[in-house]
Amino acid sequence: MLRLLHLCFNGQPKLLGNAVGTMVEIKIKAVELMQLPSGDGKTTVGPSFEYVAEETAQASTERKIVVRPNGPYIAYGEIPLVRKTKVTSEENEPLKV
């Protein structure tokens, strides 16, 4: 979406309709996410739309994850991500590795 907006405002204004359509799709998905139950019977899950100032986000090169009360996890530094594979038995039961 941001790439579409960038192109739209930098010489390709006909892409504005595509960018708006993409924004609407993202909004629909966000609303769907915010309606998913979290499992505690009281709250739901979903993305946070809270603004974090760039200087705050880049204030530290130290790797850390801050868990905010009732809010998002905020990652600082380069946090490595690893793709995990769920291993199951023939009966589709999860196996511990």
Side-chain angles (χ1 to χ4, degrees):
M1 176 199 66
L2 293 176
R3 187 169 52 100
L4 283 171
L5 287 172
H6 173 78
L7 292 172
C8 176
F9 294 120
N10 289 281
Q12 298 181 43
K14 291 182 180 181
L15 293 177
L16 183 60
N18 292 351
V20 171
T22 302
M23 285 188 273
V24 171
E25 288 179 38
I26 291 171
K27 177 189 174 198
I28 291 168
K29 292 295 181 188
V31 169
E32 289 174 1
L33 278 172
M34 291 184 283
Q35 293 173 352
L36 288 174
S38 67
D40 66 4
K42 300 176 190 172
T43 59
T44 58
V45 300
S48 168
F49 295 102
E50 181 175 328
Y51 174 75
V52 177
E54 185 174 348
E55 59 272 6
T56 302
Q58 296 178 353
S60 173
T61 57
E62 173 188 3
R63 291 181 183 176
K64 66 180 177 179
I65 299 175
V66 176
V67 181
R68 304 203 42 208
N70 300 317
Y73 291 75
I74 300 177
Y76 295 93
E78 294 186 23
I79 308 293
L81 300 177
V82 178
R83 186 177 297 271
K84 298 280 185 165
T85 303
K86 183 177 177 182
V87 180
T88 59
S89 69
E90 291 177 9
E91 293 80 29
N92 205 28
E93 296 291 323
L95 300 175
K96 291 185 179 180
V97 179

